[in-house]
Amino acid sequence: NAGVMQNPRHLVRRRGQEARLRCSPMKGHSHVYWYRQLPEEGLKFMVYLQKENIIDESGMPKERFSAEFPKEGPSILRIQQVVRGDSAAYFCASSLFRDTRWYTGELFFGEGSRLTVL
Amino acid sequence: GNSVTQMEGPVTLSEEAFLTINCTYTATGYPSLFWYVQYPGEGLQLLLKATKADDKGSNKGFEATYRKETTSFHLEKGSVQVSDSAVYFCALPGIQGAQKLVFGQGTRLTINP
């Protein structure tokens, strides 16, 4: 499967625990984006990363949330000390960066990780 | 930054009905515009796009025309099917030349047989 791979698909945590969500981008893609979808709401941008760099984290909550995209391995979204309000679907997307003259803007999404906080 | 406003749902139609889902945008310049679709339990997938004014994107019987005069990108389909039941999102780059997309709130479409 050459698509964006996310795991786990479903994750249940109790309040105060940590959640780690993983995303492997499409082959050849070097840009990863994380979005959050709350129940019955649209997608909210969280963070945009390249390998070893956070490019834009303007949508990330200031506390408890962090993201990384190491040189080797998947991108990880980490939520510490989860609360019930963190229950949501977290989607990862990837893109193949091109010179902006050729920019198409298309993102390729994974199937999401659904976090439930008890 | 750029933003998009979508027609609120949910929308319920009978099979073979005509569909319109409205989308208007606010943007600097003329960014590419997109419609994404999310089927139940799945991630988003690109449905169609238009990269410049007056372009028409089309796919699977859906169409949308990039209209700069009305800053709109309405999604239409002449005859919907039960399999079109999904949530539809209008999107555009957050700022000109940016990689990230901003999405509308989504419109849930249900097609009854």
Side-chain angles (χ1 to χ4, degrees):
Chain A
N1 188 340
V4 177
M5 302 300 293
Q6 289 189 248
N7 69 82
R9 292 290 308 278
H10 300 276
L11 182 63
V12 179
R13 285 288 179 266
R14 296 188 181 280
R15 282 179 296 171
Q17 291 184 318
E18 178 180 288
R20 285 191 181 220
L21 310 177
R22 296 174 187 79
C23 171
S24 296
M26 282 184 71
K27 186 176 181 180
H29 285 191
S30 58
H31 294 239
V32 165
Y33 312 76
W34 285 95
Y35 285 81
R36 178 165 61 176
Q37 185 177 37
L38 294 169
E40 301 303 317
E41 294 188 15
L43 270 75
K44 301 298 183 186
F45 169 78
M46 298 182 75
V47 62
Y48 161 36
L49 310 102
Q50 294 176 14
K51 288 279 187 181
E52 300 184 283
N53 279 310
I54 295 175
I55 305 303
D56 181 347
E57 57 181 349
S58 58
M60 286 278 273
K62 299 300 181 193
E63 298 178 347
R64 302 188 297 109
F65 285 73
S66 62
E68 62 177 9
F69 189 15
K71 186 177 181 180
E72 301 291 337
S75 175
I76 295 176
L77 179 67
R78 182 184 179 201
I79 311 172
Q80 296 177 289
Q81 300 175 323
V82 296
V83 300
R84 288 209 174 118
D86 297 333
S87 295
Y90 293 83
F91 288 97
C92 172
S94 70
S95 71
L96 176 62
F97 181 78
R98 298 178 186 271
D99 185 284
T100 53
R101 292 171 298 175
W102 303 101
Y103 172 59
T104 65
E106 181 175 357
L107 300 184
F108 296 84
F109 281 83
E111 295 186 324
S113 292
R114 284 158 177 79
L115 172 65
T116 301
V117 179
L118 301 178
Chain B
N2 298 338
S3 64
V4 61
T5 301
Q6 240 182 280
M7 167 181 173
E8 289 192 19
V11 174
T12 302
L13 296 172
S14 297
E15 207 165 19
E16 300 183 3
F18 183 85
L19 168 70
T20 300
I21 300 178
N22 291 339
C23 171
T24 57
Y25 66 89
T26 302
T28 302
Y30 301 105
S32 297
L33 302 175
F34 306 86
W35 277 100
Y36 279 78
V37 58
Q38 183 181 29
Y39 297 104
E42 298 183 10
L44 278 72
Q45 51 187 277
L46 180 66
L47 179 61
L48 54 83
K49 66 182 181 183
T51 58
K52 61 183 187 295
D54 299 324
D55 264 5
K56 177 185 285 187
S58 61
N59 186 28
K60 299 182 180 180
F62 290 88
E63 293 183 339
T65 301
Y66 189 159
R67 301 200 185 281
K68 64 178 182 179
E69 311 82 19
T70 53
T71 62
S72 64
F73 192 54
H74 304 323
L75 183 68
E76 297 181 334
K77 186 173 185 180
S79 177
V80 292
Q81 306 300 315
V82 172
S83 57
D84 294 327
S85 298
V87 182
Y88 293 82
F89 294 91
C90 189
L92 78 171
I95 58 174
Q96 189 169 7
Q99 290 283 103
K100 77 181 189 189
L101 297 181
V102 292
F103 290 85
Q105 68 269 36
T107 301
R108 181 177 297 278
L109 174 66
T110 301
I111 307 299
N112 294 321

